[in-house]
Amino acid sequence: MPKNTKVTQREHSNEPVTESVADLLSLEHPMDYKSSQMSMGLSPGSTAPGKALLPSPDPDAEDGRPAWNNKLEYILAQVGFSVGLGNVWRFPYLCQKNGGGAYLVPYFILLLLIGIPLFFLELAVGQRIRRGSIGVWNYVYPRLGGIGVSSLMVCGFVGLYYNVIIGWSIFYFFQSFQYPLPWAECPIERNGTQAIVVPECEKSSATTYFWYRQTLNITSTIDDTGGLNWKMTLSLLVAWIMVCLAVIKGIQSSGKVMYFSSLFPYVVLLCFLVRGLLLKGAVDGIAHMFTPKLEKMLEPQVWREAATQVFFALGLGFGGVIAFSSYNKRDNNCHFDAALVSIINFVTSILATLVVFAVLGFKANVMNEKCVVENAEKILGYLNTGVLSRELIPPHINFSHLSAQDYAEMYGVIKTVKEDNFGQLGLDACVLEDELNKAVQGTGLAFIAFTEAMTHFPASPFWSVMFFFMLINLGLGSMIGTMTGITTPILDAFKIRKEILCVVCCIIAFLLGLLFVQRSGNYFVTMFDDYSAGLPLTVVVILENVSVAWIYGTKRFMQDLEDMLGFRPYSFYYYMWRYVSPAVLVVLIVATVIEMAVSPAGYNAWVESEGSERFHSYPPWALAMAYALIVVAMLPLPLVFIVRHFNLISDGSNKLSVSYRKGMMKDMSNLEEQDEQRFILSKNPSEAPSPMPAHRAYLGPGGTQEMTNTNYGTSTKTGYQNIGSPESEL
């Protein structure tokens, strides 16, 4: 007779009670509810030491949940999700604006205080409970189950406009396969027999004109939709097809894509860094970037913006971090993962900043030389017409080889002598520092400033292709995480084929995204970027922190981590989760609300006749739409709390998950092949083996003694039922 048959087990173990329970469980129809492995089946305070919790050598395969092929795929997925467009076009701008090298100090401090601890928290709960954002927070505290729904909605809002940016990058990518680049020079139009430069381009610049007119064909106000821009509509369609193909098979397909989309941007950044350092003026840009302005560190605004950047750089609150980690094995060292990904993210931001300011330093030198040449021609004209005396020009100055220093000297003399009517001459100072201080971010950096700099590169089409291909891959990595944050909770809750769900989600998102590819679509991208994620995500993350640290219990969570990882996390995390991170997040929420109340709500509209941007306030309907984004994203939080507080819907707290039941069956059916001392609490037949081993109470940071808790057994309560447990939080 086979060794593992139930008859053989009965002969060896002589435990009919346990056998009958296993039989009943094996006949029970599986009920998949959004519960988890964190402490289900535990009575108050009970838990399991180390790896003894796992009922088999590969227990994670028992619940049928997909798993990463290897650790590298998982790390690349987390890096691809956290390292995105913001590292390239937001972090360098904040560095320049907030004190150069001095900005790195508050950023790094806040990375330690809120970044790594909260990133570790999301990784841990996802890995322990093995569910998406909705299932995780339904389990931890069902009344705050709205956290997962809000995360999903914010993912949806962000995904809608984020993929539009990928569409823009795709358009520029294909436009780069020509020489000269189409944004290198202003177009010429004929007025009868005369060929003249397009006035809109002449008043702005070639790259600015190409962005606003050739690419977006933008309207002058948000009220004027202007109809669909078909070039951008096709680009958006291509972007959504790419995203759909990347995630259609879940982590089996997205994991393979991450090998390229996560690593290729680093190849491009290193190539750009080497090329940039060889350009004239690159050192000026880097020196300007990292020259610390220490007085800036005393400004609250600098700390607020640093906290916000840390928050969004790691993708906290989106649900993608939790979704990715939910496909890990339970004993994966997520503490190491949190530190590794956070450090990679920080180093990437520094690398991107070096690249951006090396290139912008080169651009500043080119523009400064152009300024010197143009103003020198003006001075020569004034000398020829007698407006200026030749005696004002220092004798050593040669107009055919005029340096920036020579021009500065000549400019100073003329300004001193002609002080009364100097303004009428229309001369510019042409100071390199002024060019370097022209801070740009977002689309202004990627599609205007950087593209203009690349037109001066040798072999400019090659560098343009590389740059926009890098942007596509950075965006694709983030979109894969965003889509996973949407699909994973839905797949956990409903029995739907992932391929069908993925295709349906992408089709719906494309149709909704048509809002952003109208001629006025750029204004809606700005609106969604300003309102749809900032405040709602901050509220979501502080509720995540509170639900784990104060409702579930920091000590219980630390014990869960010890059981899962095999070692006790540093006491540092205990204090961060319980006190410091919530306090910092509350301050950040207050600062964000004050900023929204003080700053006028509006957008920068492109004025064709002036060839420049002008700030416009939102009309009433647009303002209502902006605030509706915040309300809709946060509405699930109070709604779910109310309906569960008054028991209007079931929280499912009396149900076991499929994975737990299978794990318990496996535990009891394979006792003969396991070390029985890990499972059997007593040799007395009346004391049947519990699925969960004995509890070792965690006494908080520095605690060394263990307290036994006899209140364990085969209880099937979830974390919500255990909230009122007698475990002390003092």
Side-chain angles (χ1 to χ4, degrees):
M1 184 175 292
K3 180 180 180 181
N4 290 325
T5 63
K6 294 178 181 178
V7 174
T8 304
Q9 286 186 355
R10 182 179 290 112
E11 291 174 353
H12 282 279
S13 65
N14 193 26
E15 291 179 356
V17 175
T18 302
E19 183 63 38
S20 63
V21 171
D23 289 337
L24 289 173
L25 287 171
S26 64
L27 295 173
E28 184 182 359
H29 182 70
M31 298 178 66
D32 189 8
Y33 183 74
K34 305 179 289 298
S35 53
S36 73
Q37 309 301 320
M38 181 177 283
S39 65
M40 54 191 139
L42 301 180
S43 56
S46 63
T47 179
K51 298 181 181 178
L53 174 65
L54 306 181
S56 68
D58 187 18
D60 301 302
E62 291 301 310
D63 59 4
R65 191 171 187 80
W68 297 102
N69 291 328
N70 53 65
K71 183 67 174 281
L72 179 60
E73 274 191 15
Y74 167 67
I75 293 296
L76 290 177
Q78 292 286 14
V79 169
F81 178 51
S82 66
V83 175
L85 297 174
N87 296 75
V88 175
W89 69 29
R90 178 71 177 167
F91 186 87
Y93 162 77
L94 291 175
C95 252
Q96 181 186 19
K97 175 186 174 186
N98 295 318
Y103 173 75
L104 300 179
V105 175
Y107 183 88
F108 189 72
I109 290 174
L110 290 167
L111 181 65
L112 293 177
L113 294 182
I114 63 173
I116 296 178
L118 294 177
F119 191 61
F120 180 28
L121 184 147
E122 289 201 355
L123 290 179
V125 296
Q127 179 174 309
R128 182 65 166 169
I129 300 176
R130 294 174 62 77
R131 290 291 181 271
S133 56
I134 295 179
V136 161
W137 304 112
N138 269 340
Y139 173 74
V140 173
Y141 186 47
R143 291 182 183 178
L144 287 181
I147 293 175
V149 183
S150 287
S151 292
L152 189 149
M153 298 192 72
V154 172
C155 274
F157 288 149
V158 172
L160 287 177
Y161 77 83
Y162 202 89
N163 220 25
V164 174
I165 300 173
I166 299 178
W168 294 340
S169 302
I170 291 172
F171 176 76
Y172 268 78
F173 173 75
F174 285 108
Q175 290 291 316
S176 299
F177 288 95
Q178 51 187 305
Y179 185 82
L181 291 170
W183 52 82
E185 297 177 352
C186 283
I188 305 296
E189 63 179 16
R190 292 202 168 271
N191 185 7
T193 57
Q194 292 183 332
I196 60 172
V197 177
V198 175
E200 184 182 4
C201 185
E202 190 175 23
K203 293 175 182 176
S204 53
S205 68
T207 50
T208 305
Y209 174 80
F210 187 86
W211 167 243
Y212 282 112
R213 189 56 52 210
Q214 300 288 87
T215 304
L216 301 179
N217 194 19
I218 200 165
T219 58
S220 57
T221 66
I222 196 172
D223 290 300
D224 181 11
T225 61
L228 287 177
N229 181 339
W230 289 105
K231 290 183 291 187
M232 294 301 100
T233 303
L234 290 175
S235 299
L236 180 63
L237 178 61
V238 173
W240 276 114
I241 290 174
M242 290 172 55
V243 171
C244 186
L245 293 176
V247 300
I248 193 166
K249 291 290 185 181
I251 61 172
Q252 277 70 32
S253 57
S254 62
K256 302 296 185 294
V257 173
M258 285 297 181
Y259 278 110
F260 185 81
S261 65
S262 295
L263 295 176
F264 179 74
Y266 290 96
V267 176
V268 177
L269 284 174
L270 290 173
C271 291
F272 263 98
L273 180 61
V274 173
R275 185 67 187 92
L277 291 175
L278 298 176
L279 296 171
K280 180 183 177 182
V283 176
D284 295 328
I286 294 175
H288 174 78
M289 170 62 243
F290 285 105
T291 301
K293 304 176 182 66
L294 298 178
E295 66 278 3
K296 284 278 190 180
M297 290 178 59
L298 302 177
E299 299 179 10
Q301 177 74 2
V302 173
W303 289 83
R304 186 188 74 83
E305 292 190 343
T308 304
Q309 179 62 17
V310 167
F311 189 82
F312 289 105
L314 294 175
L316 300 175
F318 281 94
V321 173
I322 293 176
F324 280 149
S325 65
S326 72
Y327 298 112
N328 269 331
K329 294 184 177 181
R330 294 183 187 88
D331 60 349
N332 173 63
N333 189 349
C334 55
H335 174 258
F336 171 79
D337 300 342
L340 177 64
V341 174
S342 299
I343 292 171
I344 290 175
N345 190 291
F346 180 65
V347 172
T348 304
S349 297
I350 301 297
L351 175 62
T353 301
L354 288 171
V355 170
V356 167
F357 277 90
V359 173
L360 292 185
F362 163 71
K363 173 178 174 288
N365 271 266
V366 171
M367 300 306 295
N368 198 56
E369 290 176 359
K370 183 179 178 182
C371 176
V372 168
V373 170
E374 291 176 350
N375 283 272
E377 291 177 354
K378 288 183 182 180
I379 293 174
L380 279 174
Y382 292 143
L383 292 174
N384 294 331
T385 57
V387 175
L388 294 177
S389 172
R390 293 189 179 272
E391 297 178 356
L392 298 177
I393 309 302
H396 65 277
I397 288 182
N398 182 359
F399 276 92
S400 60
H401 298 88
L402 189 64
S403 67
Q405 291 77 11
D406 291 340
Y407 174 78
E409 182 182 353
M410 183 170 57
Y411 177 86
V413 172
I414 295 173
K415 185 176 182 180
T416 302
V417 175
K418 294 288 186 178
E419 185 175 357
D420 295 336
N421 58 353
F422 179 77
Q424 299 175 4
L425 299 177
L427 297 177
D428 295 321
C430 298
V431 179
L432 181 63
E433 191 75 11
D434 293 340
E435 285 291 336
L436 291 170
N437 282 329
K438 292 180 179 178
V440 288
Q441 65 165 323
T443 55
L445 173 64
F447 298 106
I448 298 177
F450 217 87
T451 52
E452 184 174 353
M454 286 188 295
T455 59
H456 302 288
F457 281 21
S460 55
F462 168 78
W463 293 104
S464 183
V465 167
M466 292 282 283
F467 177 71
F468 289 109
F469 195 38
M470 178 190 72
L471 291 187
I472 292 170
N473 280 277
L474 284 173
L476 184 61
S478 297
M479 275 302 300
I480 289 174
T482 301
M483 287 297 294
T484 305
I486 294 172
T487 57
T488 297
I490 298 175
L491 290 171
D492 288 342
F494 305 101
K495 294 185 181 299
I496 306 174
R497 284 190 60 185
K498 64 171 70 76
E499 295 87 351
I500 296 175
L501 176 64
C502 175
V503 171
V504 169
C505 285
C506 290
I507 291 174
I508 293 174
F510 169 72
L511 295 176
L512 294 175
L514 295 178
L515 171 70
F516 305 102
V517 290
Q518 302 175 100
R519 290 180 58 197
S520 61
N522 188 46
Y523 305 139
F524 289 99
V525 170
T526 302
M527 177 194 293
F528 272 65
D529 191 39
D530 290 342
Y531 291 93
S532 68
L535 185 59
L537 273 187
T538 313
V539 173
V540 162
V541 173
I542 193 173
L543 289 177
E544 289 181 357
N545 194 170
V546 169
S547 63
V548 170
W550 288 90
I551 299 177
Y552 183 80
T554 314
K555 294 180 181 179
R556 295 174 64 201
F557 187 55
M558 292 287 278
Q559 181 62 53
D560 284 333
L561 290 176
E562 183 179 359
D563 297 337
M564 183 169 66
L565 303 177
F567 63 89
R568 179 177 297 174
Y570 299 117
S571 301
F572 167 80
Y573 293 107
Y574 178 89
Y575 294 110
M576 291 301 105
W577 287 330
R578 193 162 179 82
Y579 304 111
V580 179
S581 295
V584 173
L585 289 172
V586 168
V587 172
L588 181 58
I589 289 175
V590 172
T592 303
V593 172
I594 293 174
E595 178 73 13
M596 291 176 61
V598 172
S599 302
Y603 61 101
N604 290 319
W606 179 254
V607 182
E608 181 177 355
S609 59
E610 300 176 3
S612 62
E613 290 181 331
R614 181 186 297 172
F615 183 81
H616 285 187
S617 296
Y618 283 124
W621 67 267
L623 192 61
M625 181 178 178
Y627 287 122
L629 292 174
I630 299 175
V631 173
V632 170
M634 296 173 61
L635 189 61
L637 298 171
L639 198 60
V640 172
F641 185 89
I642 291 171
V643 297
R644 285 192 170 152
H645 179 74
F646 293 103
N647 295 320
L648 299 179
I649 60 173
S650 171
D651 58 25
S653 59
N654 61 336
K655 296 181 177 63
L656 287 172
S657 71
V658 170
S659 59
Y660 178 68
R661 286 200 306 273
K662 288 185 177 180
M664 186 158 64
M665 290 169 59
K666 186 74 173 180
D667 183 6
M668 290 185 286
S669 62
N670 287 317
L671 286 177
E672 223 175 56
E673 299 180 18
Q674 304 295 324
D675 180 6
E676 296 187 13
Q677 295 302 317
R678 286 168 30 181
F679 295 94
I680 302 178
L681 299 179
S682 173
K683 295 182 180 180
N684 191 332
S686 64
E687 299 178 16
S690 168
M692 309 303 292
H695 170 62
R696 295 176 297 157
Y698 177 72
L699 300 179
T704 57
Q705 291 185 343
E706 295 180 358
M707 293 180 60
T708 58
N709 188 337
T710 57
N711 189 17
Y712 45 71
T714 56
S715 169
T716 57
K717 294 182 181 179
T718 65
Y720 175 43
Q721 290 177 306
N722 287 333
I723 287 166
S725 71
E727 180 194 57
S728 173
E729 287 293 339
L730 298 177

